[in-house]
Amino acid sequence: MRDGAWKTAKRLIVRTGKSLGILLLALVAGAAVYEHVSAWRDGRVLKQVGRSVDIGGRTLNIYFTGGGAPTVVFVSGATAPGYVWMPTERGVAAFTHACWYDRADIGWSQPGPDPEWGDAAARDLHRLVQNAGLGPPLVLVGHSFGGSIIRLYNAAYRGEVAGMVFVDTALEDAGTIRGMPHKDPPRLPRSVIVGLSTVLGRLGMIRFMASDPGPPPKHWTAAEWDVLARLRRQRNVLLADAKVGPGRATDDLVRSAGGLEDMPMIVLTQGRPIAEPSSVEAGVRRGWVALQREFAQRSRRGRQVMVLDSGHGIPIEAPDAVIAAVRELVTELRTASHPNPRLLPPRTVPQR
């Protein structure tokens, strides 16, 4: 009797296991098909904005417009496409040469090496600047993780950068702020992390995680907002995030990067009011604002500007603040008592 019951239970377990295995395979196959079809649909809409420039065996996408000098280069946050700067560049191009680009594994750029820490991104940017024929003097504008990249660029390539705008920039000591959220890297080999990110990307994980973008904000057309939303849910975003990692390695690099002592620079900091002044979020904000102010003081020519109508996403929420900061630096550089002869008056150049 007991043997019969055991055999029946065993058969039930085997059948259940097979059914679950079939269900799992069906779910995986369905997710892969969903991602493939969605990517195909996006591909019909996402025609390349910009052009591909070879930086040594692989290409990065860059879009530039406007004319004159200095050239302004916009550098995005960790996994943000360069397209996030579209309204900002439109404003800056009215008075000087401006460009944004996609870092490796993002937007229309090809994959890069692993890891893709800030120093690797700075080297990529330097090759891009050279091969795209941009040349100094440059005004670099970096948002979030992009702020670390432009600091490392300035430290490595002295004399090329004439001014800097930091847009709610990442800072190496942000972890010292009480209550500041942070993520610890999984204790897995990097090859496993990158492999899992690739697989999950092909299964459409980034699409499942993406939220409804809602209506376009001020300064964004409906068509531009749709393109940005599609770029943000591409499968390569997960891979780009895995290659950047939690940021500690880049923090260590920027901690020793100097060269800001006499740099004309503006530090834009999020300042949208928080409803509950006694909340943990409000405490973190106060610590963040103070840390950004201290960072601005590293240059005798630096200052902090609070962006009161924006959170961290200033390039999307408040492009006018970035445009105003860039205009201030460009004007200062052009009217300095000993002007750089390369700071030419603006001329109109068609969009490319």
Side-chain angles (χ1 to χ4, degrees):
M1 187 75 177
R2 291 179 179 176
D3 290 344
W6 167 245
K7 289 180 180 179
T8 300
K10 187 176 181 179
R11 284 196 297 270
L12 181 60
I13 292 172
V14 171
R15 288 175 182 172
T16 302
K18 288 182 178 178
S19 298
L20 289 175
I22 292 171
L23 177 60
L24 180 60
L25 287 174
L27 288 173
V28 170
V33 170
Y34 165 74
E35 168 60 26
H36 181 77
V37 172
S38 298
W40 174 77
R41 288 175 175 170
D42 283 347
R44 299 181 66 185
V45 176
L46 294 176
K47 305 303 179 185
Q48 182 175 2
V49 179
R51 65 183 180 91
S52 298
V53 175
D54 185 273
I55 62 166
R58 54 191 171 90
T59 63
L60 297 182
N61 178 64
I62 185 170
Y63 174 83
F64 46 88
T65 186
T71 293
V72 178
V73 182
F74 297 99
V75 185
S76 305
T79 60
Y83 197 87
V84 76
W85 297 103
M86 203 65 175
T88 309
E89 177 168 327
R90 190 160 47 237
V92 171
F95 56 86
T96 196
H97 193 210
C99 62
W100 56 255
Y101 76 105
D102 294 317
R103 291 202 310 279
D105 294 284
I106 298 174
W108 291 282
S109 289
Q110 292 182 334
D114 177 59
E116 185 73 11
W117 293 333
D119 55 343
R123 287 192 296 271
D124 276 3
L125 177 56
H126 187 247
R127 296 187 191 106
L128 179 64
V129 165
Q130 289 183 314
N131 294 355
L134 300 180
L138 304 173
V139 170
L140 300 183
V141 182
H143 173 236
S144 193
F145 179 69
S148 296
I149 295 173
I150 66 174
R151 287 173 64 185
L152 292 169
Y153 186 105
N154 177 62
Y157 308 105
R158 296 294 175 90
E160 293 191 9
V161 182
M164 306 174 83
V165 177
F166 294 92
V167 185
D168 216 44
T169 181
L171 292 172
E172 61 272 27
D173 293 322
T176 63
I177 299 174
R178 185 176 180 181
M180 174 66 78
H182 69 280
K183 62 177 183 178
D184 293 319
R187 296 181 179 180
L188 294 170
R190 288 202 58 82
S191 58
V192 174
I193 296 173
V194 170
L196 284 174
S197 299
T198 302
V199 171
L200 291 174
R202 292 186 178 278
L203 295 180
M205 181 60 68
I206 194 68
R207 295 183 191 276
F208 288 117
M209 294 167 57
S211 58
D212 182 359
K218 183 182 178 181
H219 305 294
W220 289 82
T221 68
E224 289 172 343
W225 191 237
D226 178 62
V227 168
L228 180 61
R230 292 175 185 271
L231 287 171
R232 286 171 137 181
R233 60 178 183 243
Q234 297 303 294
R235 68 180 67 153
N236 55 351
V237 171
L238 278 177
L239 182 59
D241 187 55
K243 288 183 177 181
V244 168
R248 291 181 181 174
T250 296
D251 287 345
D252 291 339
L253 292 169
V254 296
R255 203 181 304 280
S256 59
L260 297 179
E261 297 78 11
D262 197 44
M263 176 64 66
M265 66 186 225
I266 296 175
V267 177
L268 300 178
T269 305
Q270 59 172 299
R272 179 182 293 145
I274 294 176
E276 188 57 56
S278 61
S279 65
V280 173
E281 181 185 5
V284 171
R285 169 69 66 77
R286 287 190 290 272
W288 181 250
V289 170
L291 198 64
Q292 296 262 317
R293 181 170 59 251
E294 292 170 7
F295 175 67
Q297 293 170 351
R298 295 190 189 185
S299 170
R300 69 176 186 85
R301 302 170 70 183
R303 70 185 185 94
Q304 183 186 39
V305 175
M306 297 299 299
V307 185
L308 301 179
D309 57 348
S310 181
H312 182 61
I314 294 174
I316 290 176
E317 300 170 25
D320 280 349
V322 185
I323 295 169
V326 173
R327 185 189 295 274
E328 181 178 328
L329 285 187
V330 168
T331 301
E332 176 185 341
L333 292 170
R334 286 176 175 167
T335 58
S337 57
H338 299 289
N340 188 319
R342 291 177 293 182
L343 298 182
L344 305 174
R347 58 185 175 82
T348 301
V349 174
Q351 295 184 354
R352 288 183 277 181

